[in-house]
């Protein structure tokens, strides 16, 4: 069985409309054609050279990623660029970035699901007039502390390590934001929204200092680990809905080593 790239695009668009992506983003069909036929889909967080090579070796005609392969203006496509591999092997690429970040049932909701945090949620940072946006806030039905919350994140997101600042306060209200949601402004926003703790990734030193100054626990569970969770879900949904093979690239993995 085969489908078209356009059918895959429209399936993703139903639950995470590409029109909702943030203004800085570059989500959508970035290589290939909407009319191209697809019998196998590769899914990954980042279209690296290794992921692109794997897609080609395993016979995928389409690769779907979270992070856009083309994000900034290109002045050249050098030999190391994964675009070369996709173009040479006639592989289309759909990238679904901030539209999935903010979608209902998107990555932030997945974070809460994996942490087994239930209850009504609110958007952490609204960016659209309808109130949709990044992150979620949830009220826990139990009291937690920072070490327990950090351990829960390590298990839920299968992290190699977790960094955190412990405010020492009892945690009842938690904010989550996948990827890079730990800037000084992000921490300030979470504190102003009443969060006792914020779980995110890519926290700089200044973000931790802001957390200390505001008395809020801040957990850095990693950009990769808080977002790679979407790949398995997306792969399974595409395979079930479209009736063709979809797989998560073995090379969609944390490239860093820890000691």
């Amino acid at each position: 069985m085969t489908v078209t790239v356009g059918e895959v695009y429209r399936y993703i668009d139903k639950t995470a409309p590409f029109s909702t992506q943030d203004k800085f983003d570059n989500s959508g069909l970035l290589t290939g054609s909407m009319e191209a036929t697809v019998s196998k889909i590769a899914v990954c967080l980042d279209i690296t050279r290794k992921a692109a090579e794997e897609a080609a070796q395993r016979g995928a005609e389409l690769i779907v990623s979270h992070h856009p392969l083309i994000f900034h203006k290109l002045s050249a496509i050098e030999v190391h660029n994964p675009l070369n591999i996709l173009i040479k092997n006639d592989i289309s690429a759909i990238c679904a970035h901030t539209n999935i970040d903010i979608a209902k049932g998107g990555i932030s909701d997945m974070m809460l699901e994996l942490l087994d945090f239930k209850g009504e949620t609110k958007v952490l940072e609204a960016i659209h007039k309808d109130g949709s946006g990044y992150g979620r806030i949830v009220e826990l039905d139990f009291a937690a502390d920072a070490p327990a919350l950090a351990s829960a994140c390590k298990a839920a997101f299968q992290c190699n390590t977790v960094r955190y600042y412990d405010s020492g306060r009892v945690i009842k209200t938690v904010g989550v934001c996948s990827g890079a949601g730990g800037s000084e402004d992000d921490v300030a926003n979470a504190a102003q929204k009443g969060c006792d703790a914020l779980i995110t990734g890519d926290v700089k030193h200044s973000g931790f200092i802001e957390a200390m100054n505001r008395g809020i626990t801040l957990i850095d569970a990693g950009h990769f680990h808080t977002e790679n969770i979407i790949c398995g879900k997306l792969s399974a949904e595409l395979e079930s809905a479209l009736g063709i093979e979809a797989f998560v690239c073995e090379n969609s993995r944390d490239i860093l080593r820890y000691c």
Side-chain angles (χ1 to χ4, degrees):
M1 181 178 178
T2 62
V3 298
T4 65
V5 170
E7 287 177 274
V8 180
Y9 179 96
R10 287 188 288 275
Y11 174 78
I12 297 171
D13 193 57
K14 286 180 182 178
T15 55
F18 289 96
S19 61
T20 65
Q21 66 182 282
D22 210 333
K23 58 186 177 182
F24 67 81
D25 200 9
N26 190 36
S27 291
L29 178 65
L30 301 191
T31 66
S33 167
M34 289 288 193
E35 288 72 40
T37 56
V38 179
S39 62
K40 191 180 295 186
I41 304 171
V43 180
C44 58
L45 185 68
D46 298 277
I47 304 177
T48 62
R49 287 180 64 190
K50 289 184 177 180
E53 288 168 352
E54 181 182 347
Q57 290 166 1
R58 296 179 66 174
E61 302 93 349
L62 171 66
I63 189 164
V64 176
S65 73
H66 181 51
H67 292 142
L69 176 58
I70 304 171
F71 203 66
H72 303 291
K73 180 180 178 181
L74 290 174
S75 56
I77 301 178
E78 298 176 290
V79 67
H80 66 273
N81 195 317
L83 274 169
N84 278 310
I85 298 168
L86 300 186
I87 293 169
K88 287 178 181 178
N89 290 278
D90 198 23
I91 300 173
S92 299
I94 295 175
C95 302
H97 188 210
T98 56
N99 56 313
I100 281 186
D101 284 336
I102 69 176
K104 184 176 181 181
I107 302 183
S108 290
D109 290 317
M110 280 194 69
M111 290 175 70
L112 294 177
E113 182 180 343
L114 289 171
L115 287 164
D116 198 27
F117 291 171
K118 300 177 174 66
E120 294 296 320
T121 63
K122 296 184 292 186
V123 171
L124 182 62
E125 182 187 355
I127 62 169
H128 294 310
K129 291 180 179 179
D130 64 0
S132 61
Y134 298 115
R136 300 290 185 267
I137 300 172
V138 66
E139 296 287 337
L140 303 182
D141 57 6
F142 60 93
D145 59 22
L149 195 57
S151 294
C153 289
K154 189 173 182 179
F157 310 134
Q158 300 181 16
C159 306
N160 291 293
T161 186
V162 170
R163 302 187 305 153
Y164 67 97
Y165 167 71
D166 183 352
S167 69
R169 67 198 278 186
V170 173
I171 298 168
K172 287 285 290 182
T173 305
V174 177
V176 300
C177 185
S178 65
S183 70
E184 293 171 75
D185 288 344
D186 294 325
V187 173
N189 176 59
Q192 289 163 1
K193 295 284 178 62
C195 295
D196 301 311
L198 172 63
I199 301 168
T200 185
D202 277 356
V203 180
K204 293 183 178 180
H205 178 73
S206 58
F208 283 115
I209 295 299
E210 185 72 14
M212 182 187 70
N213 289 337
R214 289 184 175 271
I216 178 175
T217 291
L218 180 58
I219 297 176
D220 183 347
H223 195 130
F224 174 86
H225 291 95
T226 58
E227 294 202 321
N228 193 56
I229 56 177
I230 192 63
C231 294
K233 178 182 180 181
L234 187 55
S235 174
E237 288 181 350
L238 290 172
E239 184 166 283
S240 175
L242 301 174
I244 62 172
E245 182 181 348
F247 63 89
V248 178
C249 292
E250 293 179 6
N251 284 291
S252 188
R253 57 183 175 82
D254 188 2
I255 64 173
L256 301 181
R257 294 294 176 264
Y258 305 84
C259 65

